[in-house]
Amino acid sequence: LYSSVVYNIAISRSNLELIFNTVILLFVNELDEKMHSCLETISPTWLEMTSDSIKATFSNTNDLVENTGGEEVQDSILDHQRRINELEEEIGRIAHLESKLSQNGVAIKINRGGNKKLKKKMTKIVAKQAANRKEVRRVALQNQDNDRRVLALESCREQQNRRFDEFEQNQAEFNILKERVILLEAN
């Protein structure tokens, strides 16, 4: 938030631009908070896992600086300086676009009615999610029942295979006995 305010003051050329940029920042901040709360409702475990990953990524920067040699630090500084220059160029392009927008008289209105529509959509999504959970539970129970049936069928198949093996063994013994009887009759 502090960097947004400092940046806003730095790039604004007039009070009108300052107000314009502030409204945009407030709108984006509100939108960000709403998206975060939606994600927290929809998938809290994914959000927590992603937040932990981000914290882990940025918490190791101090260890990295302490464990590197002078050349690596200088290379890192040069890379950061290049990135800063690229960002400053991007800021210039954005400032140019903002000035074009203000010259053309473009105004942004915050639509409070849109929030009501989003709440209705969220209510529908939550209801659909609850219905989907019920369906998942029903399918899981059906899968368990099907697993039991598969196990029973596999057991029957094994019994049939044993019976077939016994039949083949009996058939082989019968053929041997038949050959012996033919030999005995021939003698």
Side-chain angles (χ1 to χ4, degrees):
L1 183 62
Y2 175 76
S3 60
S4 297
V5 171
V6 171
Y7 172 75
N8 192 13
I9 292 171
I11 66 164
S12 298
R13 295 185 193 123
S14 67
N15 287 338
L16 180 62
E17 280 187 1
L18 183 64
I19 292 170
F20 181 76
N21 292 339
T22 302
V23 169
I24 292 172
L25 286 172
L26 289 173
F27 176 73
V28 170
N29 190 33
E30 180 71 21
L31 190 62
D32 181 56
E33 288 175 10
K34 295 293 183 186
M35 287 299 294
H36 187 271
S37 66
C38 287
L39 284 173
E40 200 169 45
T41 303
I42 293 171
S43 183
T45 54
W46 177 84
L47 185 61
E48 183 179 345
M49 183 178 63
T50 304
S51 296
D52 291 345
S53 172
I54 291 169
K55 287 176 187 173
T57 300
F58 288 103
S59 68
N60 293 334
T61 56
N62 291 336
D63 296 339
L64 181 67
V65 171
E66 292 173 4
N67 294 332
T68 58
E71 290 180 14
E72 292 175 6
V73 171
Q74 287 177 349
D75 290 343
S76 177
I77 290 171
L78 290 174
D79 287 341
H80 287 296
Q81 188 61 44
R82 269 187 245 122
R83 182 67 180 139
I84 289 170
N85 291 340
E86 290 171 3
L87 290 173
E88 287 175 347
E89 289 174 10
E90 188 67 24
I91 289 169
R93 285 192 289 270
I94 291 171
H96 178 70
L97 290 173
E98 286 177 346
S99 68
K100 279 187 173 181
L101 286 174
S102 65
Q103 288 171 0
N104 292 333
V106 176
I108 295 177
K109 294 181 181 178
I110 299 174
N111 185 359
R112 298 274 182 213
N115 289 340
K116 291 178 184 176
K117 290 178 184 178
L118 287 175
K119 286 179 184 177
K120 286 181 182 178
K121 285 183 180 180
M122 275 304 296
T123 303
K124 289 179 182 178
I125 289 171
V126 169
K128 189 173 182 179
Q129 191 178 27
N132 287 344
R133 283 188 189 125
K134 286 181 182 178
E135 180 66 15
V136 166
R137 282 189 218 113
R138 186 189 66 76
V139 169
L141 290 174
Q142 188 176 13
N143 283 344
Q144 288 175 352
D145 188 43
N146 288 341
D147 287 344
R148 281 189 224 108
R149 289 179 183 173
V150 166
L151 289 174
L153 288 173
E154 286 177 350
S155 175
C156 287
R157 182 179 53 90
E158 288 174 8
Q159 288 176 355
Q160 292 296 326
N161 285 341
R162 281 194 297 265
R163 287 179 185 164
F164 184 75
D165 290 344
E166 288 173 6
F167 175 77
E168 285 182 341
Q169 189 177 11
N170 289 339
Q171 185 70 31
E173 288 174 7
F174 174 75
N175 288 337
I176 291 170
L177 288 175
K178 186 177 177 182
E179 288 175 10
R180 284 184 183 168
V181 167
I182 291 173
L183 284 176
L184 287 175
E185 287 178 354
N187 286 336

